[in-house]
Amino acid sequence: MGFRMLFFGLFFMGGWLAAAGALGYAVAVLVRIRPQGWMRHHGHAAVRLLVPTAAYLRFDVALAVFAVLADLWLVSGAIVFGTDGIFTEDWMGYAGMTDPTGQGYQAGVVSMLRTTAWWTFGIAVLCRCWITAGMQVCVLPPAAWWIGTFETFYT
């Protein structure tokens, strides 16, 4: 088993803990900044809407860290479950027996990652979390493309 596969396996097993810790920190930041203003009080209305206050920006950064960790956990899970007879990439090692039920797995994973990316991007934009929205667009679609390039037993 290669180093990359070991990384994805270990992150899948412990990544939920890192993501849960980041979510806890983001919630703590949100509770701490709750009494402070989330919108600016001076300037043009568009600037007040688009440029968050410093407190809300701290929450956005904490939420972006959680989103990246959750995305890595999701991608790791897709790769780890795909190595059981579906993906045949060289760096994964021997993939084992061919899984006859896994023909649509790769397409399903790519679709799920893209759908997750655009839904979370949309929610982040609606909540004015610009950093989180940018991270969702920069992490999940390239991961979906990367998983889509894997060789499978069925192609």
Side-chain angles (χ1 to χ4, degrees):
M1 182 183 327
F3 175 74
R4 292 183 206 144
M5 216 26 236
L6 179 65
F7 168 76
F8 285 114
L10 289 175
F11 195 84
F12 177 67
M13 288 186 280
W16 63 271
L17 186 62
L23 178 61
Y25 180 73
V27 169
V29 169
L30 182 62
V31 168
R32 240 182 313 163
I33 68 167
R34 201 181 102 218
Q36 299 175 15
W38 290 17
M39 289 186 68
R40 297 185 182 273
H41 299 292
H42 305 298
H44 192 270
V47 172
R48 287 192 315 236
L49 179 67
L50 295 176
V51 179
T53 61
Y56 194 73
L57 192 59
R58 283 192 303 272
F59 167 68
D60 190 12
V61 169
L63 190 62
V65 168
F66 161 70
V68 167
L69 288 173
D71 293 346
L72 286 175
W73 182 75
L74 189 65
V75 170
S76 294
I79 291 172
V80 167
F81 287 124
T83 58
D84 189 26
I86 297 168
F87 298 137
T88 60
E89 288 292 313
D90 291 334
W91 56 269
M92 289 184 183
Y94 178 65
M97 299 213 23
T98 303
D99 182 8
T101 62
Q103 267 183 311
Y105 180 80
Q106 185 177 25
V109 165
V110 168
S111 174
M112 184 255 321
L113 289 175
R114 287 181 180 158
T115 302
T116 302
W118 293 113
W119 272 101
T120 54
F121 169 79
I123 291 169
V125 166
L126 286 176
C127 295
R128 297 183 320 121
C129 296
W130 309 122
I131 298 170
T132 304
M135 293 309 296
Q136 289 304 96
V137 173
C138 291
V139 173
L140 287 179
W145 169 81
W146 181 55
I147 289 176
T149 63
F150 287 177
E151 294 179 24
T152 64
F153 282 113
Y154 307 105
T155 55

